[in-house]
Amino acid sequence: MAKRVVLAYSGGLDTSVAVRWMIEEWSVKEVICVVVDVGQSDLADPDVLRQRALAAGASDCIIVDARREMAEEFCGAAIYANAKYEGKYPLVSALSRPVIVRHLVATARQVGADAVAHGCTGKGNDQVRFEVGTHALAPDLEVLAPARNWGMTRADSVDYAAKWNIPIAATKEKIYSIDENLWGRAIECGDIEDPWAEPPTEPYTLTAVRADGPTEAMITFEAGRPVLLDGTPMDMASLIEALNERAGSVGAGRIDMVENRRVGIKSREVYECPGAMALITAHAALEDITLERDLAREKARLDLRWAELVYDGMWFSPLKEALDAFLVETQRAVTGDVRLRFEKPGLMTVIGRRSPIALYDHGLATYDASDTFRHADSEGFVRIYGLGVKTWAARQGAKNSTPPQS
Ligand code: ARG
C-alpha cells in the first residue's frame, strides 16, 4: 500500500475521516491534504481547514486558489460547447473534477507521493472522474478510494471523527448531498430521490427568489468568450458570479432531471446554475446568427458528445482534445452581443442578438420592400430538389393521395 498520499480534501466529514482511516487501516505513513478552491461558497476558513486536516492526522494542508483556472479554462470551454449533459445539466461537478485532479497530481509530484486519494463512494460519477483523470495525467500513480472500502454509514463516520477528536460539526442526519463551484450547485438525496416528488425549495441558495425582476443583461462575446457584461469588461469568474446573482435572484437557472450516471444508475438530481445557463443560452443564441448551417448542425452533435465525455470523466483524453480543437475553430466567428431577460418565475429569455459578422442578412430575410432575394431562382431550385420524390410518386399511382377513411 502507498506510503505518501495526497488527498483531495474538502474539509467535510468524509474526507476528514479518510485521513485518519487511511493511516489506521492502510498503514499510510503520510497524508497531505489539498483543498482546491473552485468557487464553492461553503468552503471553510483556511485556518479551520488546516486545523481540521492536521487534527485528523494530515502532515500538511495545502489550499489552492483555482477559481480563475476553473472559470477561464473549464467554464470557458464549456461555453464553447454549449455543454449540457443529456441536453440539460451544465456539468457543474464534472467540470471541477479535472481541475482538482490536476492540482492533486501536481502536488503528488512536488512531495514525491506514490498515490492520490479521494472521498467518493462507489455509486457516483466523481470516482470515475478522479481516477480516470489521474491515470491520464500520471499513469504511474495509484488512486485510493477509502470511502469505497470502509463500509461506514454517515453515523459511523460521525462516531469515528469523535473517537479521533477530529473537530467537525457534522450531524448524523444530513438530508442533502451538495456539490458546489462557480458554475453552480448540484443537490442530491432526501426527497429528491423520489422522482415523483416535487423538489423541495429549501436547499436552493443561488436561485432563492429575492427580487421581483424583470432584469436584463447584455453579454458581449469575442470569439466565443464572454468579455463584457452591459458593456463593462469583466474576467470570466466575475462575469459568472454577476450572472449567478442577476439570473438567480428571480429563480432562473434551476434544473430538475433524471440522468444516466456512468455507472449505470438512473438518478434524480436538481441543479441551480443561473450564471452557467445564462452564458450558455446567450452563447447559443449568438451562434444562431454567426455559424454557417452545416457547421452549426455538426457542432450541435459534437457539443453533446463533448458533454458526455466530460461527464464520463474523459476531460483528459484524445477525443476530448480533438473536439476542443474543433470547437476553437468554430468559435472564430462567434463575436457579438446578446440580450437576456430574467423574470419570475425563473424565466430566462433571449430578447436580442447582433454581430458585426452575422450571417443573418436582413435583405435576404425581409418580406418588405428592401428584399434582395431573387425569388425567381427558387423555381428551378425547388423543381430539382423535389425531382426524386416526384418521380417516385408518379410510380405509386393514386396510392398516396387517398386520405384515410374516418
Ligand atoms: N450528478 C452530478 C454529476 O455527476 C452531480 C454530482 C454531485 N456530486 C456530489 N457529491 N453531490 O456531475
Side-chain angles (χ1 to χ4, degrees), residues 290-305:
T290 53
L291 294 190
E292 182 276 328
R293 177 189 53 191
D294 285 338
L295 178 59
R297 290 182 182 176
E298 201 58 38
K299 180 175 183 291
R301 275 189 277 274
L302 294 175
D303 283 349
L304 268 181
R305 189 75 185 97

PDB file of all heavy atoms in Angstrom, residues 290-305:
ATOM      1  N   THR A 290     -24.277  33.452 -36.275  1.00  0.00           N
ATOM      2  CA  THR A 290     -22.900  33.571 -36.777  1.00  0.00           C
ATOM      3  C   THR A 290     -22.334  32.286 -37.382  1.00  0.00           C
ATOM      4  O   THR A 290     -21.323  32.342 -38.083  1.00  0.00           O
ATOM      5  CB  THR A 290     -21.946  34.047 -35.660  1.00  0.00           C
ATOM      6  OG1 THR A 290     -22.093  33.188 -34.528  1.00  0.00           O
ATOM      7  CG2 THR A 290     -22.231  35.481 -35.260  1.00  0.00           C
ATOM      8  N   LEU A 291     -22.950  31.141 -37.102  1.00  0.00           N
ATOM      9  CA  LEU A 291     -22.405  29.895 -37.654  1.00  0.00           C
ATOM     10  C   LEU A 291     -23.152  29.491 -38.913  1.00  0.00           C
ATOM     11  O   LEU A 291     -24.389  29.509 -38.954  1.00  0.00           O
ATOM     12  CB  LEU A 291     -22.495  28.747 -36.644  1.00  0.00           C
ATOM     13  CG  LEU A 291     -21.662  28.850 -35.369  1.00  0.00           C
ATOM     14  CD1 LEU A 291     -21.705  27.516 -34.615  1.00  0.00           C
ATOM     15  CD2 LEU A 291     -20.209  29.233 -35.655  1.00  0.00           C
ATOM     16  N   GLU A 292     -22.407  29.099 -39.897  1.00  0.00           N
ATOM     17  CA  GLU A 292     -22.982  28.581 -41.139  1.00  0.00           C
ATOM     18  C   GLU A 292     -23.776  27.308 -40.822  1.00  0.00           C
ATOM     19  O   GLU A 292     -23.435  26.572 -39.897  1.00  0.00           O
ATOM     20  CB  GLU A 292     -21.815  28.328 -42.126  1.00  0.00           C
ATOM     21  CG  GLU A 292     -22.199  27.832 -43.489  1.00  0.00           C
ATOM     22  CD  GLU A 292     -22.401  26.337 -43.546  1.00  0.00           C
ATOM     23  OE1 GLU A 292     -21.714  25.603 -42.792  1.00  0.00           O
ATOM     24  OE2 GLU A 292     -23.266  25.897 -44.320  1.00  0.00           O
ATOM     25  N   ARG A 293     -24.828  27.058 -41.605  1.00  0.00           N
ATOM     26  CA  ARG A 293     -25.780  25.998 -41.247  1.00  0.00           C
ATOM     27  C   ARG A 293     -25.150  24.627 -40.998  1.00  0.00           C
ATOM     28  O   ARG A 293     -25.392  23.984 -39.971  1.00  0.00           O
ATOM     29  CB  ARG A 293     -26.845  25.866 -42.332  1.00  0.00           C
ATOM     30  CG  ARG A 293     -27.826  24.729 -42.036  1.00  0.00           C
ATOM     31  CD  ARG A 293     -28.741  24.440 -43.192  1.00  0.00           C
ATOM     32  NE  ARG A 293     -27.963  24.211 -44.412  1.00  0.00           N
ATOM     33  CZ  ARG A 293     -28.483  24.136 -45.613  1.00  0.00           C
ATOM     34  NH1 ARG A 293     -29.783  24.298 -45.772  1.00  0.00           N
ATOM     35  NH2 ARG A 293     -27.725  23.919 -46.666  1.00  0.00           N
ATOM     36  N   ASP A 294     -24.350  24.142 -41.932  1.00  0.00           N
ATOM     37  CA  ASP A 294     -23.800  22.793 -41.770  1.00  0.00           C
ATOM     38  C   ASP A 294     -22.871  22.717 -40.571  1.00  0.00           C
ATOM     39  O   ASP A 294     -22.858  21.726 -39.834  1.00  0.00           O
ATOM     40  CB  ASP A 294     -23.048  22.346 -43.032  1.00  0.00           C
ATOM     41  CG  ASP A 294     -24.016  21.966 -44.142  1.00  0.00           C
ATOM     42  OD1 ASP A 294     -25.185  21.647 -43.831  1.00  0.00           O
ATOM     43  OD2 ASP A 294     -23.601  21.986 -45.318  1.00  0.00           O
ATOM     44  N   LEU A 295     -22.108  23.781 -40.376  1.00  0.00           N
ATOM     45  CA  LEU A 295     -21.214  23.811 -39.216  1.00  0.00           C
ATOM     46  C   LEU A 295     -22.043  23.790 -37.928  1.00  0.00           C
ATOM     47  O   LEU A 295     -21.738  23.046 -36.985  1.00  0.00           O
ATOM     48  CB  LEU A 295     -20.327  25.057 -39.260  1.00  0.00           C
ATOM     49  CG  LEU A 295     -19.380  25.221 -38.070  1.00  0.00           C
ATOM     50  CD1 LEU A 295     -18.444  24.029 -37.953  1.00  0.00           C
ATOM     51  CD2 LEU A 295     -18.583  26.513 -38.184  1.00  0.00           C
ATOM     52  N   ALA A 296     -23.112  24.579 -37.894  1.00  0.00           N
ATOM     53  CA  ALA A 296     -23.953  24.641 -36.697  1.00  0.00           C
ATOM     54  C   ALA A 296     -24.564  23.273 -36.378  1.00  0.00           C
ATOM     55  O   ALA A 296     -24.602  22.848 -35.229  1.00  0.00           O
ATOM     56  CB  ALA A 296     -25.047  25.682 -36.879  1.00  0.00           C
ATOM     57  N   ARG A 297     -25.016  22.579 -37.424  1.00  0.00           N
ATOM     58  CA  ARG A 297     -25.672  21.284 -37.187  1.00  0.00           C
ATOM     59  C   ARG A 297     -24.665  20.237 -36.717  1.00  0.00           C
ATOM     60  O   ARG A 297     -24.941  19.446 -35.819  1.00  0.00           O
ATOM     61  CB  ARG A 297     -26.360  20.806 -38.458  1.00  0.00           C
ATOM     62  CG  ARG A 297     -27.555  21.656 -38.777  1.00  0.00           C
ATOM     63  CD  ARG A 297     -28.253  21.147 -40.010  1.00  0.00           C
ATOM     64  NE  ARG A 297     -29.384  21.997 -40.344  1.00  0.00           N
ATOM     65  CZ  ARG A 297     -30.133  21.843 -41.421  1.00  0.00           C
ATOM     66  NH1 ARG A 297     -29.856  20.870 -42.276  1.00  0.00           N
ATOM     67  NH2 ARG A 297     -31.137  22.646 -41.656  1.00  0.00           N
ATOM     68  N   GLU A 298     -23.504  20.210 -37.340  1.00  0.00           N
ATOM     69  CA  GLU A 298     -22.488  19.238 -36.931  1.00  0.00           C
ATOM     70  C   GLU A 298     -22.006  19.560 -35.518  1.00  0.00           C
ATOM     71  O   GLU A 298     -21.792  18.678 -34.696  1.00  0.00           O
ATOM     72  CB  GLU A 298     -21.320  19.256 -37.918  1.00  0.00           C
ATOM     73  CG  GLU A 298     -20.471  18.005 -37.900  1.00  0.00           C
ATOM     74  CD  GLU A 298     -21.284  16.746 -38.210  1.00  0.00           C
ATOM     75  OE1 GLU A 298     -22.191  16.793 -39.058  1.00  0.00           O
ATOM     76  OE2 GLU A 298     -20.999  15.717 -37.569  1.00  0.00           O
ATOM     77  N   LYS A 299     -21.838  20.858 -35.259  1.00  0.00           N
ATOM     78  CA  LYS A 299     -21.377  21.272 -33.934  1.00  0.00           C
ATOM     79  C   LYS A 299     -22.370  20.842 -32.850  1.00  0.00           C
ATOM     80  O   LYS A 299     -21.974  20.396 -31.776  1.00  0.00           O
ATOM     81  CB  LYS A 299     -21.159  22.784 -33.883  1.00  0.00           C
ATOM     82  CG  LYS A 299     -20.682  23.256 -32.521  1.00  0.00           C
ATOM     83  CD  LYS A 299     -20.339  24.723 -32.477  1.00  0.00           C
ATOM     84  CE  LYS A 299     -19.804  25.098 -31.108  1.00  0.00           C
ATOM     85  NZ  LYS A 299     -20.791  25.058 -30.037  1.00  0.00           N
ATOM     86  N   ALA A 300     -23.678  20.952 -33.140  1.00  0.00           N
ATOM     87  CA  ALA A 300     -24.677  20.570 -32.140  1.00  0.00           C
ATOM     88  C   ALA A 300     -24.511  19.098 -31.742  1.00  0.00           C
ATOM     89  O   ALA A 300     -24.640  18.733 -30.569  1.00  0.00           O
ATOM     90  CB  ALA A 300     -26.080  20.826 -32.671  1.00  0.00           C
ATOM     91  N   ARG A 301     -24.193  18.254 -32.743  1.00  0.00           N
ATOM     92  CA  ARG A 301     -23.960  16.834 -32.424  1.00  0.00           C
ATOM     93  C   ARG A 301     -22.709  16.664 -31.571  1.00  0.00           C
ATOM     94  O   ARG A 301     -22.694  15.914 -30.597  1.00  0.00           O
ATOM     95  CB  ARG A 301     -23.781  16.032 -33.722  1.00  0.00           C
ATOM     96  CG  ARG A 301     -25.081  15.595 -34.344  1.00  0.00           C
ATOM     97  CD  ARG A 301     -24.803  14.624 -35.481  1.00  0.00           C
ATOM     98  NE  ARG A 301     -24.477  15.329 -36.713  1.00  0.00           N
ATOM     99  CZ  ARG A 301     -25.400  15.779 -37.576  1.00  0.00           C
ATOM    100  NH1 ARG A 301     -26.670  15.597 -37.322  1.00  0.00           N
ATOM    101  NH2 ARG A 301     -25.038  16.405 -38.668  1.00  0.00           N
ATOM    102  N   LEU A 302     -21.643  17.370 -31.968  1.00  0.00           N
ATOM    103  CA  LEU A 302     -20.369  17.206 -31.260  1.00  0.00           C
ATOM    104  C   LEU A 302     -20.408  17.872 -29.877  1.00  0.00           C
ATOM    105  O   LEU A 302     -19.736  17.415 -28.957  1.00  0.00           O
ATOM    106  CB  LEU A 302     -19.224  17.737 -32.118  1.00  0.00           C
ATOM    107  CG  LEU A 302     -19.021  16.916 -33.396  1.00  0.00           C
ATOM    108  CD1 LEU A 302     -17.958  17.553 -34.294  1.00  0.00           C
ATOM    109  CD2 LEU A 302     -18.645  15.475 -33.099  1.00  0.00           C
ATOM    110  N   ASP A 303     -21.215  18.926 -29.740  1.00  0.00           N
ATOM    111  CA  ASP A 303     -21.399  19.546 -28.416  1.00  0.00           C
ATOM    112  C   ASP A 303     -21.909  18.505 -27.417  1.00  0.00           C
ATOM    113  O   ASP A 303     -21.429  18.414 -26.287  1.00  0.00           O
ATOM    114  CB  ASP A 303     -22.431  20.685 -28.480  1.00  0.00           C
ATOM    115  CG  ASP A 303     -21.883  21.971 -29.096  1.00  0.00           C
ATOM    116  OD1 ASP A 303     -20.654  22.080 -29.287  1.00  0.00           O
ATOM    117  OD2 ASP A 303     -22.709  22.869 -29.387  1.00  0.00           O
ATOM    118  N   LEU A 304     -22.894  17.726 -27.857  1.00  0.00           N
ATOM    119  CA  LEU A 304     -23.463  16.702 -26.974  1.00  0.00           C
ATOM    120  C   LEU A 304     -22.421  15.655 -26.616  1.00  0.00           C
ATOM    121  O   LEU A 304     -22.330  15.203 -25.476  1.00  0.00           O
ATOM    122  CB  LEU A 304     -24.641  16.006 -27.656  1.00  0.00           C
ATOM    123  CG  LEU A 304     -26.025  16.571 -27.410  1.00  0.00           C
ATOM    124  CD1 LEU A 304     -27.057  15.734 -28.153  1.00  0.00           C
ATOM    125  CD2 LEU A 304     -26.373  16.605 -25.919  1.00  0.00           C
ATOM    126  N   ARG A 305     -21.626  15.281 -27.604  1.00  0.00           N
ATOM    127  CA  ARG A 305     -20.569  14.275 -27.390  1.00  0.00           C
ATOM    128  C   ARG A 305     -19.530  14.810 -26.405  1.00  0.00           C
ATOM    129  O   ARG A 305     -19.057  14.081 -25.532  1.00  0.00           O
ATOM    130  CB  ARG A 305     -19.919  13.950 -28.742  1.00  0.00           C
ATOM    131  CG  ARG A 305     -18.978  12.789 -28.706  1.00  0.00           C
ATOM    132  CD  ARG A 305     -19.726  11.463 -28.634  1.00  0.00           C
ATOM    133  NE  ARG A 305     -18.809  10.360 -28.478  1.00  0.00           N
ATOM    134  CZ  ARG A 305     -18.505   9.795 -27.306  1.00  0.00           C
ATOM    135  NH1 ARG A 305     -19.072  10.229 -26.186  1.00  0.00           N
ATOM    136  NH2 ARG A 305     -17.653   8.802 -27.243  1.00  0.00           N
TER     137      ARG A 305
END
